[in-house]
Amino acid sequence: MSIFNQKSKFKIKTEIRTVRETVERPKLKASTSSSSIPTTGSSQHSRNIRTAGAGSSLSRASSTSRLNGTSHTTSISSARASLTKVSTTSLPRRVQSASPNPSINGDGRSSRKRRATKASSRSPISPHFSEDSDSDSNGDENWEDNLDARKRRKRVHDERPVDVNRKLRHPKIWKGEDVDQVERIPGPGIIHAAKVASLEHKCKAALGLKNEEVAVRLQYPGVRYPERYELVEGKDKIDAVKDIEKVVQLVASIYLTDEEGKIFLDHQTGILRKLVKSKNRSDGLGFKAALREYNDELLKLMRRGVIVRNLDKMHGIPRELVDFILDQVYDRTVAPRVELLAKYQNGSDNVYGELNHPFISDILERTNLTSDKVFVDLGSGVGNVTLQAALEIGCESWGCEMMENACNLAEAQYDEFLARCRLWGIKSGKVRLERGDFRKNEKILEVLKRADVVLVNNQAFTSQLNDNLVSMFLDLKIGCKIISLKTFVHDNKNAENDVATSILDVEHLTYPEGYVSWTGASGTYCISTRR
């Protein structure tokens, strides 16, 4: 029983204090001037309303929050970041599945679909500017901090120790070659946003634009080929306006120095400010003009080799960018067909559920995973966690899943993931996705022998499958970390198959609210170390 639930055996004497004298506060003379009426309360109330609104959309925000190692639950609902999130978008969020099984999802719906109506993911997505005034006081109270690249980069790099062995630059990044040379290099083969959110998909033109005016292109830092968007609005569809604003913010604050990013993030004349103001005024033509300016300026920097030079100095990717890239991949591959994940066999090992980005980020950090190590996800579902480890850490990342629909979506995500990494100019770790029962897959059984971190979302696994896993753990190397939702050590120490007790040291931990797809409540998980 938790010590917080036990009654104290000691009685504490109650101290009673008596007020002997009342001192009356001197009365102040009433002022007839209206300016003397305090307004602080109302303005503070207004700020509180704004903050609450942002918090409600911060589903993934707590990506930087650390897991609580104690037995009581730590809520992160108030700590959620307002960026993406996506959760966040970042758009709808994620979780994971299993070979002989994944995780559980009570309703079978994708968290990304649920997040479609919310804001984005983890960090502040973009500042708010008043459409009626250029005064800074009319925007969000923290908008200047949101634009401050130096502060943003400091927050980002404080999250995890620097992995000096990691090289971020993609081998096929555009280095500013002549157009003729570039045209001979195949494009990244992405699924354009306009392919899943457009007028053809029954969306409506946004920002007061006419149907024939909604087509735009967005430049990325890795290749010369832009992505096609349509400035439209639609239920559970990609929000092109927010997507574009976020790409501008991420590129300027992560890929550029303060001086290089000034033209994009300047509080008064920056391109991001122009985009946000145009959005607030429903000025579609102004938004398109600012976007063209962004594309032109970024291409100039790319031609000068600025992006390549800066990437070569970086050894890690901010979680904010990790979330956004993964959301882009998910929203173009899984979200349009998310209903396929609702088809599972209840009561069996084949149940689908997902572990959200913040949960995985915390696990990767807690287990000290680095780019020279190996990660294995047993029951990888649509591949969310496998891809996140490869992108966020740069490690060799394996996944194995047996549910056919999940495997098909995982392959679609993998293809888009590779294309998106090139689009952003980032080199991820090697990814391998296997189909079938992980108890019988020869490649998985072999890679487990050199794995450093193994994830098993065994929330819905049968006791038989958990016992099978323990037998597989005998081949793990000493020191390997096993992350699981349930412990593999039997409560009954005299159990017939209690091998786990002799080979695993188990640490019981608590994850906060919003970390898994099947419930908004907090819960427990384990980190077992092979001894």
Side-chain angles (χ1 to χ4, degrees), residues 20 40 72 159 164-165 202 208 220 312 352 403 410 439 516:
R20 296 180 179 276
T40 305
H72 62 284
E159 291 177 3
V164 295
N165 294 320
K202 298 182 180 180
Y220 286 83
D312 285 342
Y352 185 78
M403 296 170 62
R439 294 170 295 186
V516 297

Side-chain angles (χ1 to χ4, degrees), residues 1-8 68-73 510 524:
M1 172 183 283
S2 169
I3 61 173
F4 299 101
N5 296 326
Q6 299 182 22
K7 294 185 178 180
S8 173
N68 180 6
T70 64
S71 60
H72 62 284
T73 300
T510 299
T524 59

